[in-house]
Amino acid sequence: MTTAAPPGQREDGDDDRGGLRAALGGLTTRGRSFLAAGIAAGVCAYVLGQADLLRVGLLLAVLPLVCVVVLHRTRYRVAGSRRLSPQRVETGTEARVHLRMDNVSRVPTGLLMLQDHVPYMLGPRPRFVLDRVEAGGRREVSYRVRSDLRGRFALGPLQLRLNDPFGMCELTRSFSAYDTLTVIPRTEPLPPVRLAGESAGYGEGNQRALALAGDDDIIPRAYRHGDDLRRVHWRSTARYGELMVRREEQPQRARCTVLLDTRRIAYEGGGPDSAFEWAVSGAASVLVHMLERGYAVRLLTDTGSSLPGDGAEGFTGSGQNTAEAAGLMMDTLAVVDHSDGAGLSRAYDVLRGGHEGLLVAFVGDLDEEQAALAARMRQRGGAAVAFLLDSGTWLTGGAVTGAVEDRLRRLREAGWTALAVPPGTRLAQLWQQAGGAQNQAPAADTYGGWS
């Protein structure tokens, strides 16, 4: 929610004259017509010597000027606020924007026109006409926005138009506050299939790694506010000179890395139905799916950047940290764009550093070199699932070419479960196929884990 109030008129001469000039510039077509007619009548009265016509001309000319002065001298103040419900939505989903106007002055307002600035991707610019608002009163209105494109969209500033009763003059006051609506990729519910990955963390095995194996193997940490004093390890406290406590048993969570290929040269075409948007939506769906099943996940792009990046080796933690990390990854996917990189070497450098558990990759066009590099990304003992999107297939709507089949064969020979993504295919269907393909793999090559 944001709140702001338009700047009030000041009493010093320079600002007063500047505000009066702005008010004269706010004359409506009716006001300008009255002023022009009054001047013309005055000139004709002077030429023809008609006193009555001169009085009519003065009335026509003075009326809009009086309206300008009265509107300029209006001293009531209003406060405006905006609230988004919700602040983060999926593509194609509506969000509601609630506007509230409060009259914080001691005098009632006249007729007000309220207008909010929204990007054209979210729909038409909303306008509302507010009746007289009593002193201390309020008015609430709302409108809906919807976008088929990902991104962060600024809403605001809120504008208030003041009109005189005769419609001669119109002044615009702008608030200074903005709000941001985040449109994240659409996610698709995935079926619970059995894939190979990290040792069973929150799955059937529910194995636990003990931090305390014995007094000699203790791994203490610094005391934190709220820790049980019964867990204080006095020997380590004396050694380090600060209060140390024993670490609790920590669950060993299965890991999943979602790799998103964003190279510009790997995708052709654009729009909500393009291959790149399908890949972004697929990555978001897998991230949500794995988080719901207790996996520690991270998002990795071809540039080597990893999110959330603050946990162990870049993976999410647990509890509140997981929710924050999920929001961070969704916000990143909302604005992710093509990179200028030509290869996947940076992502490969990150993956070869350790055991990543389950690896799910969404990749675009691969040449011979990049296909060989992607094949080496699969870690020993961990499962790897690749969804290959061929730009030519997506642009023409044709069948998968022989070159794509060759890339798939190379990945499969390296241990990947590689699937081609035809245009318009639902990820849930491919996810089911990936689970079926891995169930047919040799048992010695996998570790059980529910995804």
Side-chain angles (χ1 to χ4, degrees):
M1 177 186 295
T2 59
T3 304
Q9 302 292 339
R10 297 182 58 184
E11 298 296 337
D12 55 276
D14 290 341
D15 288 345
D16 192 67
R17 288 192 295 269
L20 187 58
R21 285 194 296 267
L24 287 172
L27 282 171
T28 62
T29 302
R30 179 185 300 178
R32 295 176 187 273
S33 300
F34 268 67
L35 184 60
I39 295 175
V43 172
C44 292
Y46 176 77
V47 173
L48 299 177
Q50 296 291 329
D52 293 338
L53 184 58
L54 179 60
R55 284 191 287 270
V56 174
L58 288 176
L59 176 62
L60 293 175
V62 169
L63 181 59
L65 296 179
V66 171
C67 292
V68 167
V69 174
V70 171
L71 194 60
H72 169 63
R73 292 295 181 180
T74 300
R75 293 299 174 185
Y76 58 79
R77 293 174 59 84
V78 294
S81 64
R82 182 191 300 105
R83 178 171 57 88
L84 303 182
S85 177
Q87 293 185 333
R88 182 189 291 122
V89 296
E90 292 186 354
T91 55
T93 305
E94 290 184 344
R96 184 168 289 275
V97 184
H98 301 269
L99 303 178
R100 171 177 162 179
M101 299 299 300
D102 294 271
N103 183 10
V104 297
S105 64
R106 298 181 179 179
V107 296
T109 70
L111 192 66
L112 303 177
M113 177 179 287
L114 191 64
Q115 175 179 276
D116 204 7
H117 284 260
V118 300
Y120 71 93
M121 293 83 70
L122 299 182
R125 182 172 297 178
R127 293 182 176 91
F128 304 94
V129 178
L130 304 181
D131 295 332
R132 177 179 179 272
V133 183
E134 65 278 4
R138 70 178 59 167
R139 296 290 185 272
E140 295 184 3
V141 293
S142 64
Y143 64 93
R144 294 175 296 179
V145 291
R146 179 181 180 274
S147 175
D148 292 327
L149 300 175
R150 299 177 292 107
R152 288 195 183 100
F153 303 98
L155 304 181
L158 196 62
Q159 286 188 339
L160 193 64
R161 292 185 181 180
L162 313 178
N163 296 83
D164 67 281
F166 300 99
M168 298 290 179
C169 184
E170 182 182 86
L171 293 183
T172 301
R173 296 287 183 262
S174 293
F175 295 81
S176 58
Y178 291 81
D179 280 282
T180 301
L181 175 67
T182 303
V183 181
I184 63 176
R186 181 182 293 274
T187 58
E188 180 180 349
L190 303 180
V193 299
R194 187 177 181 84
L195 296 174
E198 187 84 0
S199 58
Y202 283 13
E204 294 177 332
N206 196 25
Q207 299 174 352
R208 290 181 176 270
L210 299 182
L212 179 60
D215 192 60
D216 295 334
D217 299 325
I218 186 68
I219 306 178
R221 62 167 175 83
Y223 175 83
R224 300 171 185 168
H225 179 70
D227 286 338
D228 191 347
L229 293 178
R230 291 175 296 181
R231 294 172 48 213
V232 174
H233 191 257
W234 297 108
R235 181 180 299 178
S236 299
T237 299
R239 177 180 179 182
Y240 293 103
E242 60 176 326
L243 203 59
M244 307 292 289
V245 296
R246 297 181 178 89
R247 293 192 179 187
E248 294 179 338
E249 297 180 358
Q250 300 293 335
Q252 184 179 3
R253 305 182 72 196
R255 294 180 174 182
C256 175
T257 298
V258 178
L259 172 62
L260 177 61
D261 180 12
T262 65
R263 295 173 299 139
R264 189 181 304 275
I265 61 175
Y267 301 93
E268 298 181 14
D273 298 327
S274 64
F276 180 68
E277 292 301 322
W278 193 98
V280 174
S281 178
S285 300
V286 172
L287 288 170
V288 172
H289 178 78
M290 304 308 290
L291 282 172
E292 290 176 349
R293 278 146 185 81
Y295 275 64
V297 303
R298 70 171 172 180
L299 172 65
L300 179 65
T301 67
D302 59 288
T303 62
S305 60
S306 176
L307 288 174
D310 55 352
E313 299 183 16
F315 290 88
T316 59
S318 60
Q320 184 68 20
N321 292 335
T322 298
E324 295 176 357
L328 177 60
M329 288 185 286
M330 291 298 106
D331 290 344
T332 301
L333 290 176
V335 296
V336 69
D337 201 356
H338 293 290
S339 68
D340 295 327
L344 304 172
S345 57
R346 294 182 180 179
Y348 173 75
D349 292 338
V350 175
L351 292 173
R352 70 177 181 178
H355 183 60
E356 309 302 329
L358 176 63
L359 174 61
V360 181
F362 295 86
V363 294
D365 297 337
L366 297 175
D367 56 20
E368 288 287 343
E369 180 181 356
Q370 298 308 314
L373 185 62
R376 296 197 300 270
M377 289 182 181
R378 193 247 181 182
Q379 300 292 320
R380 182 182 300 274
V385 181
F387 299 98
L388 185 60
L389 296 96
D390 176 58
S391 296
T393 304
W394 276 76
L395 289 177
T396 62
V400 177
T401 62
V404 177
E405 291 291 350
D406 180 68
R407 305 293 185 268
L408 294 173
R409 178 185 54 79
R410 173 168 294 189
L411 292 176
R412 289 165 182 165
E413 290 176 351
W416 285 79
T417 301
L419 300 173
V421 181
T425 306
R426 296 179 65 251
L427 177 60
Q429 178 182 353
L430 296 176
W431 191 257
Q432 191 76 42
Q433 294 179 11
Q438 285 210 344
N439 288 335
Q440 299 175 3
D445 214 17
T446 63
Y447 293 92
W450 286 94
S451 63

